[in-house]
Amino acid sequence: METLLSLVPESLRHPAILALIVAAASLALAKLVELLLCRVLQRLARRTRTDFDEKLIDALHRPIFFSVVLVGVRTAVLILGPPEAVMGWTDSLVQTAVIFVWTLTALRVVSLVCGSMSGAVRRSEWIDERTLPLFDNLARLILLGAAAYFLLLAWHLNISGWLASAGIAGLA
């Protein structure tokens, strides 16, 4: 970090200015990563016969963008040097945003997978058309449960009671 700071002119070393520079750089980096990753993956996806991979890339490019931006925002706040309590809240907020973004993405991907499997059901003997909604609902339930678990961890809440009740419900 000190090496990077030595490259910055003295007049720009104020924490607020550095935080703005980091936030702007994270936006630029997020756009660059989004463009490069999506273009490379879309070229590869055009070589396949199905449109599943193109839909998957469409589902992933926005969460990747937001993840890079959120890391930049967290870094910018860290540069400002807030009190420990404020930094804890910032970390929890950033983690919450990441959890929401990636949970929504995972739910969308589950829908894509189940949708593509519904076309394969007609051609396959090992998947029954009546069980696809069961798999879809089960995957969604697992994802939402995992998201709730990670949200509790992000806010440093005691999860032992939640896990105990989940275990009792599982036994029942």
Side-chain angles (χ1 to χ4, degrees):
M1 183 88 170
E2 292 298 323
T3 313
L4 290 175
L5 280 176
S6 67
L7 299 174
V8 177
E10 189 70 38
S11 61
L12 296 178
R13 289 191 189 175
H14 189 273
I17 294 173
L18 282 175
L20 283 173
I21 291 171
V22 167
S26 72
L27 278 170
L29 180 65
K31 194 63 179 169
L32 180 68
V33 167
E34 180 186 34
L35 287 173
L36 289 176
L37 188 65
C38 290
R39 288 204 178 156
V40 168
L41 292 177
Q42 284 174 346
R43 274 194 201 135
L44 293 172
R46 286 188 202 118
R47 296 179 184 174
T48 62
R49 291 183 221 158
T50 65
D51 65 339
F52 172 76
D53 42 8
E54 288 142 358
K55 290 179 182 177
L56 184 64
I57 293 167
D58 284 342
L60 291 177
H61 77 89
R62 274 296 176 210
I64 292 170
F65 176 84
F66 284 125
S67 296
V68 174
V69 168
L70 287 171
V71 167
V73 166
R74 192 229 179 252
T75 305
V77 171
L78 187 64
I79 288 172
L80 290 173
E84 193 172 318
V86 173
M87 198 63 216
W89 276 83
T90 302
D91 283 342
S92 294
L93 284 172
V94 167
Q95 289 173 15
T96 299
V98 168
I99 290 166
F100 276 124
V101 166
W102 283 102
T103 299
L104 291 174
T105 302
L107 290 171
R108 190 170 172 197
V109 168
V110 164
S111 293
L112 285 174
V113 169
C114 288
S116 70
M117 285 180 67
S118 68
V121 164
R122 294 177 193 93
R123 299 183 306 251
S124 176
E125 295 176 9
W126 59 276
I127 301 174
D128 190 13
E129 192 169 347
R130 294 173 295 184
T131 59
L132 275 179
L134 173 71
F135 291 129
D136 185 36
N137 290 337
L138 183 64
R140 288 175 182 275
L141 186 65
I142 290 170
L143 285 171
L144 291 174
Y149 173 75
F150 287 121
L151 280 172
L152 291 171
L153 287 179
W155 288 97
H156 309 289
L157 299 173
N158 188 359
I159 58 172
S160 58
W162 190 69
L163 290 175
S165 64
I168 291 170
L171 288 174

